[in-house]
Amino acid sequence: MSLESVPITSATLLDLLEVEQIDRDLHRSVVLFDEPFSLYGGQVAAQALHAAGRTVPQGRLPHSLHCYYLRGGSAARPVVYRVDRDRDGRSYSARRVTALQDGEVIFTMSASFAVPRHDADHEVEPMPDIAPPELLPEWEFERMWSMRARVPPQRTPSTPWPSLFWARSAVELPDSPLVHACVLTYLSDTSSGLVDVPGGAQWAGSTLDHSVWFHRPARLDEWVMVDLIPRTVAGGRGLYTGTVRRADGATVATLAQESLFREPPPGKPLAKI
């Protein structure tokens, strides 16, 4: 697949996940948008995980990722992903991914992959008591391609973005656990748990670092519930954690994100999450 500039309205989620191999352990995004806007962090993380997952022994699935957002990027220019193969053990593989645009590092990720095991399986916390997605109103996240969302009443009624919601891919996904993990990663960076902190909708800013732990398999073209909880704000940064659950209540993934939390300049419009 070659580089292609497409209208904003024609891209699909599977297009955005695709990366082409241009050399051993070098990959490049293939879909560019015909109007420039900032890269969505979840897209970069999902593409980086996709590139890393192509370098591990067959059958090993993502079990964690940890990433840092270093510079903003443009959705109108390609991103190159360099994968470093740190280690392949008997059960685990470790990879590092560096994302570059215009010769500068914009993002780094450490990811670990593991051979699936069938050991103890316990769910500790009960699922929040919310209505099924079929009974809830739709919500549209800006710049989220091929994703559907349904939103229950929120903890903070006046919040501009939901911190508790159902989501799923609007396109059918292939039977690839790596692709579903990448879609979950794409979804994991949307909205913010900090909107439930006083002033959070105005003060919460760019993502600094982001982590995901994958616990159980799930299809992301079926409904999953995302629940984001603020933890603390200090030193110009805010931290929140979250869970992603299947409709049966099983926790699919746990995430944590730290973002800037600073008073916006006078007259600056509300950021879009």
Side-chain angles (χ1 to χ4, degrees):
M1 191 171 185
S2 59
L3 284 170
E4 182 182 3
S5 182
V6 300
I8 287 177
T9 55
S10 67
T12 72
L13 178 55
L14 290 175
D15 294 331
L16 294 180
L17 292 180
E18 186 58 38
V19 289
E20 65 171 342
Q21 184 172 353
I22 56 178
D23 204 337
R24 184 182 189 272
D25 299 338
L26 282 178
H27 296 78
R28 181 175 61 185
S29 60
V30 295
V31 172
L32 313 179
F33 290 103
D34 59 1
E35 82 177 59
F37 55 87
S38 297
L39 271 175
Y40 165 53
Q43 176 182 329
V44 180
Q47 290 176 339
L49 183 65
H50 201 185
R54 290 181 171 181
T55 71
V56 302
Q58 187 173 3
R60 299 192 179 192
L61 306 179
H63 83 85
S64 68
L65 61 86
H66 310 277
C67 43
Y68 286 91
Y69 293 90
L70 306 177
R71 293 181 175 90
S74 169
R77 300 194 300 276
V79 180
V80 173
Y81 297 93
R82 184 183 70 230
V83 181
D84 290 306
R85 307 187 187 209
D86 287 351
R87 184 176 186 270
D88 285 314
R90 288 182 298 176
S91 300
Y92 289 85
S93 293
R95 296 292 185 266
R96 284 176 295 125
V97 185
T98 303
L100 303 105
Q101 191 172 74
D102 296 334
E104 293 189 317
V105 177
I106 64 171
F107 167 95
T108 61
M109 170 189 286
S110 296
S112 183
F113 300 77
V115 176
R117 295 179 60 89
H118 302 285
D119 292 325
D121 191 317
H122 305 292
E123 191 59 70
V124 178
E125 293 187 4
M127 188 170 181
D129 184 16
I130 64 172
E134 295 80 7
L135 302 179
L136 296 171
E138 292 190 12
W139 179 276
E140 184 175 350
F141 285 107
E142 186 174 352
R143 305 292 194 204
M144 290 285 289
W145 274 262
S146 303
M147 295 297 296
R148 299 176 59 194
R150 299 290 181 92
V151 176
Q154 298 295 296
R155 303 178 185 92
T156 305
S158 61
T159 180
W161 310 289
S163 58
L164 177 64
F165 56 93
W166 292 96
R168 62 173 292 178
S169 169
V171 297
E172 185 177 354
L173 301 175
D175 293 327
S176 164
L178 176 60
V179 169
H180 287 271
C182 290
V183 174
L184 191 154
T185 301
Y186 179 82
L187 173 65
S188 71
D189 189 42
T190 194
S191 194
S192 172
L194 297 177
V195 295
D196 291 320
V197 174
Q202 289 76 35
W203 288 52
S206 302
T207 303
L208 296 171
D209 53 318
H210 185 76
S211 297
V212 181
W213 294 264
F214 302 90
H215 309 304
R216 297 175 177 87
R219 292 196 65 92
L220 268 292
D221 48 10
E222 298 177 355
W223 290 108
V224 295
M225 189 200 70
V226 181
D227 188 12
L228 307 176
I229 306 292
R231 297 302 175 184
T232 193
V233 173
R237 300 179 301 276
L239 175 71
Y240 67 89
T241 61
T243 54
V244 182
R245 295 177 185 254
R246 296 191 306 236
D248 64 3
T251 302
V252 176
T254 300
L255 64 94
Q257 184 175 110
E258 189 177 43
S259 304
L260 292 175
F261 199 91
R262 297 175 179 172
E263 184 176 6
K268 182 179 179 181
L270 193 65
K272 298 295 185 182
I273 294 180

